[in-house]
Amino acid sequence: MILQPLNLGGSPYDIGLGLGRFGRDAVQQRLRPLPLWQSLAALAGSDVAQAMQAQVEADFPRIWEEIRGLADGLELPVEEVFLWNCRGDFVRPQSVDGCTTVFGPTADGWLIAHNEDGLPSLDGACGVLQATPEQGMAFTSFVYPGSIPGHTFAVNAAGLVSTVNNIRPSSIPTGLPRQVLARAVLDCASLDEAVEVLSRAGRAGAFHHALGQVGSGHLLSVEACSSGVMVRKVRRPSGHSNHLLDAGLDAFGQRITGSSDSRQRRVDVLLGDAGGTLDEARALSILRDGADAELPIYRRAADDPDEENTLATAVFRIGANSVEWRVYCQPDVQHVEAAGSIRPSSANGPAR
């Protein structure tokens, strides 16, 4: 499991073009044959697809340019690539990315740790992008072939950390794609800006976001769906898998897979009822847990019922002046795949 390092800059189109060239072979060989890709591509030109595309072009023109460059780099029609990036904005039986996150206070700040669970066929085909766009915020993000950044795990130049978990609502209206909104978070300079982006009216699909920032006294757990947005300030070590936990949002209906339910229950057990703090070792031990042989937190089975495997694990330690991050791709957490540090010039003051 190797993550390819990518360094891309320039216009949104340029960054998208580089991402497309990076993912072209994997998309052509591993993704386009999938029934999920084919079912989405069949919607190209539909009224729903055109309405969603027009909304992105109007509200997020830079992100649309990134998608247009991505399509050109993949050598595929932009309408088809756009719909792949809307794969969580339609109710489908197929799984569309999983993930587990644990987060909470540390002795001197905050910690967010995240298992990125995706299609097993993409193992070894993903990358870590260092982006320096002409406009917008520089950022580092895990990237999938064929997808824009932002809906996985990332940190930007303002020291804002975002990790994202898939949610499966029972009904999804036509609206702004959730991956576009997640990408827009990476251009935010503050937690308030990020929450504002995620809370805007007219969204389609749903995500859970764990959000933290250098120097902030808050860590946020955000469940965002078309029926509402719930923002909670994290007070104690907590976790999230792939379903809504807020009873008010859950009342609108969702699909909870056996894996998501099992992982959430196990995370809650491992964290316990006591307060306390998190550290990297404790977070990694939770995200590497395999006590449930059939439905583990750390997912590497070829016959995973959601057709997902853990492709990478990221740990972000958020302090008063910097974010230190590491990415692991092996069960042995002594092997660090990638690492870095973000120290915004404006960072100062206590993290908690």
Side-chain angles (χ1 to χ4, degrees):
M1 291 181 287
I2 298 174
L3 297 179
Q4 181 173 326
L6 297 169
N7 290 282
L8 299 173
S11 69
Y13 178 88
D14 292 336
I15 291 173
L17 185 68
L19 285 171
R21 289 170 174 166
F22 153 73
R24 182 169 52 216
D25 290 347
V27 168
Q28 295 285 358
Q29 298 167 16
R30 308 184 195 190
L31 293 182
R32 284 194 89 203
L34 295 176
L36 176 58
W37 184 292
Q38 294 299 320
S39 68
L40 289 164
L43 295 173
S46 66
D47 291 345
V48 169
Q50 289 184 18
M52 294 174 74
Q53 179 176 321
Q55 197 169 356
V56 174
E57 288 185 72
D59 292 1
F60 296 100
R62 292 208 307 265
I63 298 177
W64 174 252
E65 282 298 296
E66 202 168 273
I67 294 170
R68 199 170 64 82
L70 177 65
D72 285 352
L74 292 170
E75 299 179 0
L76 292 174
V78 67
E79 296 82 4
E80 184 175 332
V81 173
F82 173 66
L83 283 163
W84 178 248
N85 281 270
C86 298
R87 59 190 179 273
D89 300 297
F90 300 91
V91 178
R92 289 284 190 275
Q94 299 101 323
S95 184
V96 282
D97 309 332
C99 308
T100 308
T101 311
V102 294
F103 41 87
T106 66
D108 56 0
W110 305 100
L111 184 142
I112 301 175
H114 176 86
N115 273 357
E116 183 60 38
D117 297 346
L119 291 168
S121 62
L122 295 181
D123 195 357
C126 302
V128 174
L129 168 65
Q130 304 272 358
T132 53
E134 291 175 349
Q135 293 178 281
M137 199 78 67
F139 62 87
T140 301
S141 177
F142 178 98
V143 288
Y144 284 107
S147 293
I148 57 175
H151 67 285
T152 55
F153 57 80
V155 57
N156 72 12
L160 190 148
V161 174
S162 172
T163 66
V164 180
N165 293 345
N166 177 40
I167 303 291
R168 304 174 175 94
S170 299
S171 62
I172 304 173
T174 300
L176 284 165
R178 63 181 192 170
Q179 287 185 206
V180 169
L181 293 171
R183 171 64 183 89
V185 165
L186 301 187
D187 280 333
C188 293
S190 68
L191 292 177
D192 287 345
E193 285 185 34
V195 170
E196 183 178 353
V197 165
L198 297 175
S199 302
R200 62 185 295 155
R203 70 177 296 136
F207 270 145
H208 169 265
H209 301 255
L211 300 172
Q213 188 170 22
V214 167
S216 175
H218 305 298
L219 187 71
L220 302 180
S221 174
V222 181
E223 293 185 329
C225 57
S226 62
S227 58
V229 177
M230 177 58 66
V231 181
R232 296 187 183 278
K233 293 180 180 178
V234 176
R235 309 291 186 188
R236 55 180 296 276
S238 306
H240 207 288
S241 58
N242 300 122
H243 55 276
L244 299 166
L245 301 181
D246 183 82
L249 298 179
D250 181 35
F252 291 88
Q254 62 175 319
R255 176 173 169 242
I256 303 175
T257 69
S259 173
S260 184
D261 182 64
S262 174
R263 283 180 283 120
Q264 186 67 53
R265 291 176 183 273
R266 181 61 177 163
V267 166
D268 291 343
V269 166
L270 292 172
L271 288 172
D273 295 328
T277 59
L278 275 178
D279 58 30
E280 184 165 348
R282 184 184 180 194
L284 286 172
S285 71
I286 294 171
L287 292 178
R288 286 294 189 268
D289 184 76
D292 187 327
E294 293 186 2
L295 299 172
I297 294 174
Y298 186 64
R299 310 162 76 183
R300 293 300 300 167
D303 60 348
D304 180 270
D306 289 352
E307 298 183 19
E308 293 167 352
N309 275 185
T310 301
L311 305 181
T313 300
V315 179
F316 297 90
R317 290 175 291 148
I318 306 168
N321 298 294
S322 67
V323 177
E324 308 293 331
W325 59 270
R326 296 186 185 184
V327 178
Y328 303 86
C329 288
Q330 304 288 346
D332 178 6
V333 297
Q334 301 304 311
H335 179 80
V336 178
E337 184 76 21
S341 177
I342 303 293
R343 182 177 290 270
S345 58
S346 60
N348 58 72
R352 291 174 55 204

